Amino acid sequence: MTGFDDIVTEYLAECREHLRGIEADLLEMEQDGAEIDGERVNRVFRAAHSIKGGAGFFNFHRIRDLAHRTENVLDLIRSRRAVATPEVVNVLLTAFDKLGAMIEDPAAAEQCDIADSVRALETLATSGLPAAEQHSVNRTIALAANGGPVRVTLTEFDFEAARKSGRTVYLLEYDLLHDVHRRGLNPLDLLNRLTQYGVLVDSCLAVERVGGLDEEAGSVLPLDVLYATCLDTDLIGEAAGIAAERIYKVRRDGACVPIVEAAVEKTPAAAAQIETKPHKEESAPAPAGCVDSTVRLNVAVLDSLMNLAGELVLSRNQLGEAVARRDEAGIETASQAISAVTSEVQQAVMRTRMQPVASLFQKFHRSVRDMAQKLDKKVRLVAEANEVELDKTIIEGLS
C-alpha cells in the first residue's frame, strides 16, 4: 500500500501524543484514590484503547496485548471496581513505560519481554472481579463466521466487557485495499470513524486470506475488526462503510451470524428503534510531556501565519507592479512592507518552536514519588511557572 510507512509513522506519533501526559495523570489518580476524577481516568483509558486499536491494524501484537491488559485495569478503576492505590499505579506506570519504549522501536517490540507486566496486570484485573467471574480473564472464546476458520479469539472477560451498556458486538470484514486505500483513506481514518460510534474490541490482518500463488498479487488485504456499538443492524452498515454481506452479528455464545439473517431473527423488543449518536468524547488537553519530533501549535499562531502570508503576497504583487511602472517611490514602499512582514513571519515561525518548560520538570514528579515510597516519607513537589516557554532545541538539550 502506497505510503504505508507514513501511516505507521503517523500512528506512532499519535501514540507518543497519547503517552505524553500519562505519567502525570497516573500520579494524580494515585492522589485521588477512591474519589476518582472521571475525565482524568477516561483520558488515560482512551490513550490505552487508542494504542491498542492502532496496534491491531499494524499487527504490533505485543504492543496491542500490553495496551489491552492495561486498558482492562483502567476500565475497572473507572467503573469503581478497583482503586488506584500506589501498588496499582506502580504496575500501570511500569506498563506504560514499557509501551513507550516499544513504540520508540516497534520493530524490536515483538521480541520485547512483557511477561512480568502481563502477569501483574492480569492479577489486578482478576482481583477486581467477583470470585465467580475471575476465571473469565483466562477462558477464551473463538469466533468463526459461517462455520469457517476461527477469525478472532478473545477472553470471556473482554467479550462481556464489550457487551456492556446494551452494546451489540459485530465482526466486520474489511479489505484495506478496496474499502480504505482506494477511497483515499488510511487505517487510522477507519479507526477514528469507528470509535465515533462504538468501541474497537480487536482487529487483525487476516494474512491467511490474502490469496494463493495463482491469484493476482495485492488483489485483497483483509482486515477483521471486532466492534461493539449500540447501533442496530439497520444502521451498522452505514457506520462501518461496508456491505451488509461482510458484517456479522456476534451472539452471546460466540456464533457469528450475517446481519441479513440476524435482522430476520430480530424479536419485537430488539426491533425497537433507538436514536444513537456518536459518543466520541472531548478529551482535555494533555499535560506537556517528553519532547519528540512533533510540535503542537496554537491555532492563533497558525492564523497569524496565514494572515502574514496574505500580506506578503500582497506586498509582492505591489512590488511587481511598481517595478513594471518604474515607480521608485512605489518600489521603496513595497520593499519596506516586504521587509516588515518578513520580520513578523520570522517571529511567528520562531513561536511555533516554543514549548512549555513543564516538559522538563514533569519527570521529577515521578522521581520524587518513587523516592518518597522507598524512604517511607510524605513528599510533595510543587512546580511553578510551568507555562513559561523555551525554544524546542533548548528543551531537547536540557531534557
Side-chain angles (χ1 to χ4, degrees), residues 19 80 91 109 183 267 328 368:
L19 292 173
R80 300 182 184 272
V91 174
R183 294 183 181 181
T267 63
E328 294 184 3
V368 169

Side-chain angles (χ1 to χ4, degrees), residues 64-139:
R64 180 192 62 187
D65 292 346
L66 185 55
H68 177 52
R69 285 169 170 79
T70 304
E71 176 190 42
N72 287 343
V73 174
L74 290 165
D75 189 41
L76 293 175
I77 294 174
R78 70 175 186 167
S79 62
R80 300 182 184 272
R81 289 182 287 169
V83 177
T85 62
E87 293 75 18
V88 171
V89 172
N90 281 339
V91 174
L92 290 172
L93 283 169
T94 301
F96 276 113
D97 284 346
K98 192 156 291 187
L99 277 173
M102 294 165 76
I103 285 165
E104 289 305 318
D105 190 0
E110 290 302 298
Q111 284 72 49
C112 184
D113 184 6
I114 62 173
D116 290 343
S117 289
V118 167
R119 278 194 296 270
L121 291 165
E122 285 184 346
T123 299
L124 291 180
T126 303
S127 64
L129 294 174
E133 299 178 18
Q134 290 184 357
H135 292 296
S136 67
V137 176
N138 297 315
R139 285 199 300 258

Side-chain angles (χ1 to χ4, degrees), residues 14 46 52 60 80 97 137 259 273 282 303 314 375 395:
E14 286 190 6
R46 287 195 298 269
K52 180 198 76 172
F60 295 150
R80 300 182 184 272
D97 284 346
V137 176
I259 62 170
Q273 182 74 20
E282 293 289 337
D303 290 341
L314 179 61
L375 299 176
I395 291 182

Side-chain angles (χ1 to χ4, degrees), residues 73-355:
V73 174
L74 290 165
D75 189 41
L76 293 175
I77 294 174
R78 70 175 186 167
S79 62
R80 300 182 184 272
R81 289 182 287 169
V83 177
T85 62
E87 293 75 18
V88 171
V89 172
N90 281 339
V91 174
L92 290 172
L93 283 169
T94 301
F96 276 113
D97 284 346
K98 192 156 291 187
L99 277 173
M102 294 165 76
I103 285 165
E104 289 305 318
D105 190 0
E110 290 302 298
Q111 284 72 49
C112 184
D113 184 6
I114 62 173
D116 290 343
S117 289
V118 167
R119 278 194 296 270
L121 291 165
E122 285 184 346
T123 299
L124 291 180
T126 303
S127 64
L129 294 174
E133 299 178 18
Q134 290 184 357
H135 292 296
S136 67
V137 176
N138 297 315
R139 285 199 300 258
T140 60
I141 299 175
L143 306 183
N146 292 334
V150 173
R151 305 284 283 277
V152 178
T153 301
L154 74 165
T155 65
E156 291 182 4
F157 175 85
D158 296 331
F159 188 48
E160 290 305 318
R163 292 169 52 86
K164 283 194 309 185
S165 304
R167 291 192 294 247
T168 301
V169 180
Y170 296 97
L171 177 63
L172 312 177
E173 291 182 352
Y174 282 100
D175 175 2
L176 287 180
L177 291 179
H178 296 84
D179 300 325
V180 180
H181 179 58
R182 293 182 183 175
R183 294 183 181 181
L185 305 173
N186 66 48
L188 296 181
D189 295 326
L190 177 60
L191 171 63
N192 293 331
R193 173 174 179 167
L194 290 175
T195 53
Q196 287 182 338
Y197 299 95
V199 177
L200 188 71
V201 182
D202 201 358
S203 62
C204 61
L205 286 171
V207 180
E208 71 281 358
R209 300 206 313 277
V210 170
L213 295 177
D214 57 340
E215 296 182 33
E216 180 185 354
S219 60
V220 63
L221 189 55
L223 176 75
D224 289 335
V225 174
L226 197 62
Y227 184 57
T229 177
C230 291
L231 294 176
D232 202 354
T233 53
D234 297 333
L235 302 174
I236 182 62
E238 182 178 352
I242 55 177
E245 291 75 15
R246 289 188 279 143
I247 301 176
Y248 300 85
K249 182 177 180 180
V250 182
R251 292 173 172 167
R252 186 155 195 161
D253 61 0
C256 300
V257 181
I259 62 170
V260 178
E261 296 179 18
V264 175
E265 299 172 354
K266 207 188 298 182
T267 63
Q273 182 74 20
I274 301 176
E275 181 181 2
T276 308
K277 296 182 180 179
H279 72 271
K280 189 175 184 180
E281 303 171 27
E282 293 289 337
S283 57
C290 59
V291 179
D292 54 37
S293 59
T294 61
V295 177
R296 285 197 221 171
L297 290 183
N298 190 309
V299 175
V301 175
L302 292 177
D303 290 341
S304 175
L305 282 171
M306 287 292 294
N307 292 334
L308 290 172
E311 292 182 27
L312 200 58
V313 171
L314 179 61
S315 299
R316 180 201 64 185
N317 293 341
Q318 291 174 342
L319 177 61
E321 292 175 0
V323 169
R325 296 196 309 268
R326 297 184 180 181
D327 180 357
E328 294 184 3
I331 291 174
E332 183 177 357
T333 300
S335 297
Q336 291 174 350
I338 290 175
S339 177
V341 175
T342 301
S343 298
E344 291 186 50
V345 169
Q346 182 183 26
Q347 293 175 7
V349 170
M350 291 176 64
R351 287 200 299 274
T352 66
R353 297 180 55 83
M354 302 298 283
Q355 299 290 293

